[in-house]
Amino acid sequence: MTKGTQYVARQADAQGFIAYPDDEHQIWSELYARQAVNLPGRACQQYLDGLDALDLPKDRIPQLPELDKVLMAATGWKTAAVPALISFGRFFELLASKQFPVATFIRSREEFDYLQEPDIFHEIFGHCPLLTNPSFANFSAMYGKLGLAASKEERVYLARLYWFTVEFGLLQHKDDELRIYGGGILSSPGETMYALGDVPQRKPFELMDVLRTPYRIDIMQPIYYVIEHIDFLDEIARMDIMQSITRARQLGLFAPLFEPKAKAV
């Protein structure tokens, strides 16, 4: 859902199988190996349980039908292969129907460490494990339904909710330590270490604050919002999110905690 991309998604055959070249399987393998070391003690337990349930291959890019068997049994979700770019309307439509969009390309070695587009490693490794969790899965479907009915202006505010939860959310662990549940962090070795470090701000989740917080997609996040536990996503889903968006539009955005992109070094 970016404005431009160098990537082209690979097409599946009639059985849903995609023939990735060996060098792309190697990139998956290296990304997986590097991040697997970082996650114990940092990723939330529900994510780690989902990772075990999916039993992702470490030496090759997974085939989507393999994931669908596990997701369907756990929460009734499945994946949907998509091009590198899809519209917001299509994105919301898929989520509302319990289909998680997966762009069927993997990053180049030149963008091994950071990629603005969501590639297959980000989508599968970052997000799919938590789709085995009912609270996360229900929140995602609810979000899709809200987005389908929202105006273009309202979708901008909805994007902030998604950003600070599904993509870059943190939660409180039972031993009072922080854990990661946001897929944007979980699929990024650099941000996994950074998000739990001393540099960024971390605040308790307040819906109105989240809706009023600007963000940039091309930097480490200066602020993260922390939920009490993964089941708190059920509580957010029961909130009057659209009414809160109306109020947030009236109040306006907080001052950004980052330089404008044109001035950023």
Side-chain angles (χ1 to χ4, degrees):
M1 293 191 301
T2 53
K3 291 183 178 179
T5 180
Q6 63 170 317
Y7 294 101
V8 177
R10 297 194 176 276
Q11 300 301 306
D13 63 17
Q15 286 71 46
F17 179 86
I18 298 175
Y20 295 99
D22 289 343
D23 62 324
E24 294 186 0
H25 288 306
Q26 182 62 29
I27 288 173
W28 170 276
S29 178
E30 292 176 26
L31 286 167
Y32 191 108
R34 184 170 68 165
Q35 194 59 340
V37 175
N38 293 327
L39 295 186
R42 297 185 178 94
C44 70
Q45 189 58 49
Q46 293 83 2
Y47 171 87
L48 296 173
D49 291 345
L51 195 61
D52 287 343
L54 288 177
D55 193 23
L56 298 176
K58 299 176 177 62
D59 59 345
R60 63 173 175 84
I61 300 172
Q63 298 294 331
L64 298 188
E66 298 173 325
L67 308 181
D68 291 347
K69 292 177 183 177
V70 179
L71 295 178
M72 285 292 292
T75 57
W77 276 71
K78 63 180 179 179
T79 60
V82 299
L85 300 176
I86 61 173
S87 68
F88 282 105
R90 180 63 175 150
F91 176 71
F92 290 126
E93 180 185 340
L94 287 170
L95 292 184
S97 60
K98 297 186 178 182
Q99 298 181 70
F100 193 77
V102 175
T104 51
F105 71 90
I106 197 163
R107 69 196 68 184
S108 67
R109 195 163 290 282
E110 290 71 33
E111 295 190 289
F112 192 83
D113 290 315
Y114 181 78
L115 183 73
Q116 289 190 32
E117 296 100 322
D119 71 342
I120 196 167
F121 184 77
H122 169 87
E123 304 287 34
I124 290 180
F125 189 89
H127 289 303
C128 284
L130 268 175
L131 283 171
T132 63
N133 176 267
S135 296
F136 185 89
N138 292 339
F139 177 82
S140 299
M142 176 280 302
Y143 181 85
K145 293 173 183 176
L146 283 183
L148 273 181
S151 68
K152 181 179 179 182
E153 293 76 19
E154 289 168 334
R155 285 177 175 180
V156 175
Y157 284 82
L158 278 176
R160 296 190 184 99
L161 175 59
Y162 197 83
W163 188 262
F164 288 112
T165 54
V166 175
E167 291 292 356
F168 289 93
L170 301 177
L171 60 78
Q172 205 74 38
H173 190 56
K174 61 184 178 182
D175 59 9
D176 216 31
E177 294 182 1
L178 292 173
R179 294 290 187 270
I180 303 163
Y181 75 95
I185 310 175
L186 292 166
S187 60
S188 167
E191 195 132 9
T192 294
M193 310 302 286
Y194 169 87
L196 300 180
D198 297 331
V199 175
Q201 295 184 32
R202 289 179 288 267
K203 293 185 177 182
F205 181 96
E206 292 289 346
L207 179 59
M208 191 62 63
D209 289 349
V210 167
L211 296 175
R212 298 177 65 199
T213 300
Y215 65 86
R216 271 181 49 190
I217 67 171
D218 59 337
I219 60 173
M220 295 284 191
Q221 301 306 302
I223 184 170
Y224 301 92
Y225 286 96
V226 184
I227 62 175
E228 297 172 9
H229 43 73
I230 200 70
D231 295 346
F232 187 75
L233 292 174
D234 291 322
E235 297 184 35
I236 300 174
R238 289 192 291 267
M239 295 177 185
D240 192 340
I241 293 171
M242 300 313 296
Q243 180 60 40
S244 296
I245 287 176
T246 299
R247 181 61 177 153
R249 293 175 68 182
Q250 294 169 346
L251 293 171
L253 298 183
F254 295 134
L257 298 174
F258 48 79
E259 290 292 322
K261 190 169 184 178
K263 296 182 181 179
V265 177

